Amino acid sequence: NAMEKKNVYAVAELHTRAKSVSRMVALVPHRSSNGGLLIMQLPFKEDVREVAKEDIGFADQEAVDAAKNLISTSTVNHEGNFNEMLPENPWLKHFFGYLESVSLGRALDEVEDETKMDVEGLLAVARQQIEDFSISLPIDPEPAKKERKRKADAVSKSSKADTPVEDIDEEWIDLYKNDEISGKTAPELKTFLKSRGERVGGKKGELVDRVNRIIYNHIFSQK
């Protein structure tokens, strides 16, 4: 109650098990009649990506209008209690389904994960708005490449140009539609990017963003 009145939060160290690695967390007052505290994990230094100086600034009016149009088009309108339309926790459904199958001696039913993004449904509603917003964003400048003196430079360049770009496997497209690209390891992401002729440098978060962008553009080009 005192924390809520003062509008402050606490920073604490969380141990989920006796020998587990500790995590820094924020304890935030729960603004409800039941009170209590919300535990929010704080990121490690390596989890935070730096923002380039040239990316800090103000969006132009075209980008702002495109963003507003996209948000208004994809906004979910629901009358009544908002909690009624929230999806059930798929992990809990699977857990209780497993207990039921073991206790009753019957096969485990497949659990439908309602939290996965409906990519096709989203594109059906806001395809044009997504494209307009994407076009309104500034183009990222290509990073300057240092020239390296290597033997057979001309041969390597010609062989790279002649190398055909592999088609995207359905497995990757399914991972993108289910928002599960981040579940791939960094070497797997780099292998995918290398097969597309893309850069493979950067942290894992940057690799995931790069892969998502490539598959996103591929899906749109097929429509």
Side-chain angles (χ1 to χ4, degrees):
N1 191 22
M3 293 175 65
E4 187 173 354
K5 288 181 179 180
K6 295 179 182 179
N7 194 27
V8 297
Y9 64 90
V11 176
E13 186 178 10
L14 174 65
H15 288 268
T16 55
R17 288 187 292 272
K19 296 184 179 181
S20 64
V21 178
S22 63
R23 288 298 303 260
M24 299 298 293
V25 297
L27 302 179
V28 183
H30 195 293
R31 302 180 186 278
S32 68
S33 58
N34 297 327
L37 297 171
L38 295 174
I39 300 177
M40 304 177 66
Q41 288 192 1
L42 298 177
F44 291 112
K45 178 182 178 180
E46 293 78 12
D47 296 333
V48 181
R49 285 179 284 167
E50 295 183 3
V51 179
K53 292 183 178 179
E54 58 268 20
D55 291 337
I56 301 176
F58 296 93
D60 57 31
Q61 192 59 45
E62 180 184 359
V64 172
D65 293 339
K68 288 182 177 179
N69 192 20
L70 173 57
I71 293 172
S72 62
T73 304
S74 56
T75 298
V76 176
N77 298 315
H78 178 73
E79 296 182 0
N81 189 349
F82 181 73
N83 291 335
E84 296 177 355
M85 66 170 295
L86 294 177
E88 295 184 50
N89 187 325
W91 298 106
L92 285 179
K93 290 172 66 177
H94 176 78
F95 174 72
F96 289 123
Y98 173 76
L99 292 180
E100 187 177 85
S101 67
V102 171
S103 60
L104 300 179
R106 64 186 188 189
L108 178 63
D109 295 331
E110 185 176 353
V111 175
E112 180 181 359
D113 188 353
E114 299 175 351
T115 63
K116 291 182 178 179
M117 181 187 298
D118 182 8
V119 177
E120 296 297 333
L122 181 60
L123 293 178
V125 173
R127 178 188 300 276
Q128 187 60 52
Q129 288 74 14
I130 294 174
E131 291 181 349
D132 292 342
F133 178 65
S134 179
I135 294 173
S136 71
L137 297 176
I139 300 175
D140 293 334
E142 288 291 333
K145 296 182 179 179
K146 295 181 180 180
E147 294 185 0
R148 297 180 180 178
K149 294 182 179 180
R150 298 183 301 176
K151 295 181 179 180
D153 235 2
V155 176
S156 62
K157 287 182 179 178
S158 62
S159 61
K160 183 178 180 181
D162 296 337
T163 303
V165 177
E166 298 180 9
D167 196 15
I168 297 179
D169 191 78
E170 286 295 329
E171 176 191 356
W172 285 94
I173 296 177
D174 290 339
L175 289 173
Y176 169 80
K177 291 181 178 180
N178 295 326
D179 197 21
E180 296 175 347
I181 295 295
S182 59
K184 285 287 189 179
T185 63
E188 290 174 323
L189 295 170
K190 290 181 179 181
T191 300
F192 175 88
L193 291 169
K194 188 174 181 180
S195 70
R196 309 297 299 177
E198 296 285 339
R199 294 189 302 113
V200 297
K203 298 179 181 179
K204 182 178 178 181
E206 295 172 315
L207 300 178
V208 171
D209 291 342
R210 213 170 295 153
V211 171
N212 278 324
R213 173 178 55 80
I214 292 172
I215 300 178
Y216 167 85
N217 292 334
H218 173 77
I219 292 177
F220 269 104
S221 67
Q222 301 298 316
K223 301 296 180 181

